[in-house]
């Protein structure tokens, strides 16, 4: 079985698991070592690279996002991500793929993808990266609970400096996270794929109708990437009814509207005991350019 080709964030040499040591560590040939936390994740974000004492989502935000996602409201979207990933791997005839989730959050999509691969008889390995230590810890605990921690790994790291060796991944998920064009190309094998997700025009239209007097549709986004070519677009749509006020708040906090909505409009949404809204996503499949 393949394994994740971790690299040292200090010197870029290979990191190897030291299974006989307690606590379990990853160490490179130059002696740099990184403890694997009891939850199962490893922190590979160097202190000078953090930019903040605790970058990324805090524990409360992770709990809220987890509760919302575990409620199944975005299951159709997750299923669509899984289906397109599996179709791409089948089309490329990729055996034992290595998939990276760049900006994985609390691991909901990564874990469901790994289960979908396993259900399809695809014995791949997955790794997720996030700036948030709380998110990585939750994602790792989720993997442990599912009994797949050996093939589903999580690290605290920046997606702009992923602790992964060059040319070792078959695919990358980039779901609502920043895009690191050159870094994604670096870690992907020749012909590797990048799957991005962006909101479609009517995503969260029902929420916007509550928030704004004159709701507006989302602008269609199609990123032109220097190192990739867009090869396929799939639209995923569904209508969800959110019946828990805390889940409504969590959904709102997951959107850019959270930061630019007036308090009175926000409070009108928070007063809702139920929210029915469309969800609509475009899945953008990119192929790494053959010249790279």
């Amino acid at each position: 079985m393949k394994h994740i080709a971790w690299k040292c964030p200090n010197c870029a040499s290979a990191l190897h698991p030291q299974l006989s040591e307690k606590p379990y560590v990853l160490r490179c040939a130059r002696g740099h070592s990184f403890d694997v936390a009891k939850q199962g994740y490893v922190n590979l974000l160097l202190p000078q690279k953090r930019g903040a004492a605790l970058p990324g989502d805090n524990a409360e935000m992770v709990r809220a996002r987890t509760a919302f996602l575990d409620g199944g409201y975005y299951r159709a979207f997750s299923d669509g991500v899984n289906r397109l990933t599996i179709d791409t791997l089948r089309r490329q005839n990729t055996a034992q793929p290595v998939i990276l989730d760049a900006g994985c959050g609390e691991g909901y999509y990564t874990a469901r993808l790994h289960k979908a691969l396993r259900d399809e008889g695809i014995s791949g390995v997955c790794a997720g990266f996030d700036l948030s230590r709380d998110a990585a810890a939750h994602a790792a605990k989720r993997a442990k609970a599912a009994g797949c921690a050996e093939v589903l790994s999580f690290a605290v790291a920046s997606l702009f400096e992923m602790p992964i060796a060059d040319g070792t991944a078959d695919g990358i998920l980039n779901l609502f996270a920043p895009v690191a064009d050159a870094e994604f190309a670096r870690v992907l094998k020749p012909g590797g794929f990048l799957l991005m997700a962006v909101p479609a025009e009517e995503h969260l239209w029902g929420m916007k109708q509550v928030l704004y007097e004159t709701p507006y549709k989302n602008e269609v986004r199609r990123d032109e990437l220097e190192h990739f070519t867009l090869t396929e677009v799939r639209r995923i749509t569904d209508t969800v009814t959110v019946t828990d006020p805390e889940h409504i708040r969590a959904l709102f906090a997951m959107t850019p509207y959270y930061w630019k909505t007036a308090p009175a409009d926000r409070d009108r949404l928070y007063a809702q005991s139920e929210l029915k809204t469309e969800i609509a996503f475009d899945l953008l499949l990119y192929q790494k350019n053959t010249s790279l």
Side-chain angles (χ1 to χ4, degrees), residues 157-171:
S158 168
L159 58 79
F160 290 95
E161 293 182 88
M162 290 190 287
I164 295 292
D166 296 2
T168 56
D170 297 284

Side-chain angles (χ1 to χ4, degrees), residues 6-15 28 30 32 163-166 186:
W6 299 108
K7 75 170 187 176
C8 177
N10 283 300
C11 65
S13 56
L15 284 172
C28 73
R30 296 189 180 183
H32 301 120
I164 295 292
D166 296 2
R186 178 188 68 78

